[in-house]
């Protein structure tokens, strides 16, 4: 079961050349797509086509999908991944820091109006926001997560699942009326770029004690952020999903801590047995020497 959600990563410090080529092709695709739709008429037409599908999709499902790009929800998903694949800690932290710097800067610089500030007729699900549309932060986070796993996962079927998941999150930002198509495409570009820049850092092995304490600290921070969130603005399926993920992360962390303790006790027991064997060997040698 763990292999399904946390597929095997490469044992190499850097991505395989074929993986890098596929990743850069993906980045080139989204860049080309941005250039193709970067005009008001095309951008508006695509928005109306995708947003027009909103009434046919349950509101709770749209909100669940779009919440997978929320920093808190995705943070817990990343934490679950890091518990199983702690060698990704450095890359995830670097990519996240780059995203936290770039996205707010771009939003403030462009200060683009959101669809609700421009259009009179559109479908809005959830909060109505009017400013700082470009780029989409949810899309950036989703593609950052997907891109990081894409560069380290061996199996292409899982790579495809990660990217398709990020695309669904990005599309949900349009169906709920929060972003324009160019916002989510640029979010994909920024997220993938952050993941690629972070991939220059090698996969590192972290000791059990340091790993557990670091991940536990991250879990506490995420729980504190979730508790400070105004839950009155969230629907119950989203709240349930978030706390279920936090519960899963907590159980996984406790299981890992238990494994670390068992492994430590095994190493101590093995060391004691080795010392005991050496003492017994020394005693036998000394006894034989005295007999001579």
């Amino acid at each position: 079961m763990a292999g399904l959600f946390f597929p095997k990563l490469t044992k190499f410090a850097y991505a395989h050349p074929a993986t890098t080529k596929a990743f850069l092709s993906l980045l080139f695709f989204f860049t080309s797509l941005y250039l193709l739709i970067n005009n008001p008429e095309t951008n508006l037409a695509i928005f109306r086509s995708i947003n027009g599908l909103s009434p046919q999709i349950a509101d709770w499902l749209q909100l669940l999908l779009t919440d997978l790009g929320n920093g808190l929800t995705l943070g817990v998903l990343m934490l679950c991944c890091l518990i199983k694949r702690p060698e990704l800690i450095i890359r995830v932290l670097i990519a996240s820091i780059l995203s936290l710097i770039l996205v707010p800067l771009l939003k403030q610089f462009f200060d683009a109006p959101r669809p609700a500030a421009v259009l009179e007729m559109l479908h809005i699900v959830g909060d109505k926001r009017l400013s700082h549309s470009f780029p989409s932060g949810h899309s950036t986070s989703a593609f950052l997560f997907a891109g990081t796993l894409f560069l380290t996962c061996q199996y292409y079927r899982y790579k495809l699942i990660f990217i398709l998941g990020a695309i669904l999150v990005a599309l949900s930002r349009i169906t709920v009326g929060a972003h324009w198509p160019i916002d989510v495409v640029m979010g994909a570009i920024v997220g993938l770029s952050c993941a690629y820049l972070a991939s220059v850092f090698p996969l590192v092995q972290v000791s059990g004690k340091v790993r557990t304490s670091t991940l536990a600290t991250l879990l506490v921070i995420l729980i504190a952020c979730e508790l400070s969130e105004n839950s009155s603005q969230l629907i119950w399926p989203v709240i349930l999903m978030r706390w279920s993920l936090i519960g899963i992360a907590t159980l996984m962390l406790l299981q890992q801590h238990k494994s670390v303790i068992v492994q430590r006790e095994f190493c101590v027991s093995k060391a004691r047995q080795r010392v005991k064997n050496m003492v017994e060997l020394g005693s036998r040698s000394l006894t034989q020497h005295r007999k001579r």
Side-chain angles (χ1 to χ4, degrees):
M1 180 64 69
L4 175 62
F5 295 102
F6 306 100
K8 186 177 180 182
L9 303 180
T10 57
K11 296 181 180 180
F12 307 103
Y14 302 100
H16 190 276
T19 296
T20 302
K21 184 177 180 180
F23 186 89
L24 292 177
S25 299
L26 189 64
L27 192 55
F28 176 78
F29 167 77
F30 282 107
T31 303
S32 300
L33 181 61
Y34 174 78
L35 294 175
L36 287 173
I37 67 174
N38 190 24
N39 66 78
E41 293 79 11
T42 305
N43 187 41
L44 178 59
I46 295 175
F47 174 83
R48 291 195 181 281
S49 298
I50 298 176
N51 185 252
L53 299 174
S54 181
Q56 304 174 34
I57 307 172
D59 289 355
W60 65 267
L61 180 57
Q62 295 184 64
L63 292 174
L64 278 180
L65 275 175
T66 203
D67 195 67
L68 289 174
N70 180 277
L72 289 176
T73 307
L74 197 58
V76 180
L77 282 174
M78 283 186 174
L79 180 61
C80 292
C81 178
L82 291 177
I83 292 172
K84 298 297 293 185
R85 308 300 184 194
E87 59 268 34
L88 288 173
I89 288 179
I90 299 299
R91 291 189 180 182
V92 169
L93 288 177
I94 295 298
S96 300
I97 291 172
L98 289 174
S99 174
L100 288 173
I101 293 173
L102 287 175
V103 173
L105 285 177
L106 291 173
K107 283 182 175 290
Q108 291 293 334
F109 179 79
F110 289 100
D111 194 20
R114 292 182 185 253
V118 177
L119 304 176
E120 294 183 0
M121 298 294 295
L122 76 159
H123 299 282
I124 297 178
V125 180
D127 296 337
K128 180 179 180 180
R129 299 183 179 181
L130 304 176
S131 60
H132 300 143
S133 182
F134 182 87
S136 167
H138 285 64
S139 301
T140 299
S141 299
F143 276 95
L144 183 153
F145 180 62
T148 300
L149 295 181
F150 186 100
L151 287 167
T152 48
C153 179
Q154 285 185 344
Y155 305 115
Y156 274 92
R157 61 179 178 274
Y158 291 119
K159 297 176 189 286
L160 181 61
I161 291 173
F162 298 144
I163 297 301
L164 288 178
I167 290 175
L168 285 177
V169 172
L171 289 175
S172 73
R173 299 305 290 161
I174 303 176
T175 62
V176 300
H179 283 286
W180 302 100
I182 58 170
D183 300 338
V184 300
V185 174
M186 180 53 69
I189 294 171
V190 174
L192 292 174
S193 299
C194 291
Y196 184 72
L197 291 174
S199 69
V200 303
F201 293 86
L203 302 175
V204 294
Q205 296 295 333
V206 185
S207 64
K209 186 176 181 180
V210 174
R211 178 178 67 229
T212 303
S213 60
T214 301
L215 295 175
T217 301
L218 291 175
L219 178 60
V220 171
I221 292 173
L222 288 169
I223 292 175
C225 291
E226 182 60 39
L227 290 173
S228 64
E229 183 90 353
N230 186 4
S231 59
S232 63
Q233 298 179 356
L234 301 174
I235 61 172
W236 71 263
V238 171
I239 297 174
L240 179 61
M241 178 182 68
R242 288 187 179 184
W243 284 105
S244 297
L245 290 173
I246 289 175
I248 292 172
T250 303
L251 291 175
M252 291 174 65
L253 193 57
L254 290 174
Q255 181 63 34
Q256 185 191 74
H257 181 61
K258 181 179 178 181
S259 300
V260 170
I261 293 176
V262 171
Q263 185 178 13
R264 186 184 304 166
E265 291 177 350
F266 174 76
C267 292
V268 171
S269 176
K270 193 173 181 180
R272 287 175 178 174
Q273 185 63 40
R274 190 181 298 114
V275 171
K276 183 179 179 180
N277 293 339
M278 291 176 63
V279 171
E280 291 178 353
L281 180 62
S283 299
R284 286 197 297 268
S285 300
L286 182 60
T287 302
Q288 292 175 0
H289 179 71
R290 287 176 178 177
K291 289 181 179 181
R292 293 176 184 175

